[in-house]
Amino acid sequence: MCRAALRRRVLESNTGTLRIATPSISDYGTDELMDTLCSSVRKGQGLPREEAIREAAKYLGFQRITQKVQTALKNAIRTAIRRGIFEGDGEEIRRVE
């Protein structure tokens, strides 16, 4: 559990001590956000975009989905669709890769 939180940058380790990290959504690059979306949506599975955004935000430790969080994840979804990682079908996305 701690390793996953460290990977997601929800927790950070400083000389062996764990503490809560409070990254902003802007601290994550598009590729990291796409990886998070891939972790939230199984291959072949379809989800409404808003649900995928909620799941990805929760995965990263965000309790509230602010406009910045929503915008960053929507941009990551669009990029993933252009790269062929997801397919978009109106309000639903499906992971293909």
Side-chain angles (χ1 to χ4, degrees), residues 30-45:
T30 302
D31 287 339
E32 287 177 289
L33 294 177
M34 287 189 303
D35 288 344
T36 299
L37 286 160
C38 285
S39 294
S40 301
V41 181
R42 292 186 205 146
K43 189 173 181 178
Q45 179 186 15

Side-chain angles (χ1 to χ4, degrees), residues 32 34 40 45 50 75-76 83 91 93:
E32 287 177 289
M34 287 189 303
S40 301
Q45 179 186 15
E50 294 303 316
N75 288 337
R83 292 186 186 174
E91 290 299 311
I93 59 170

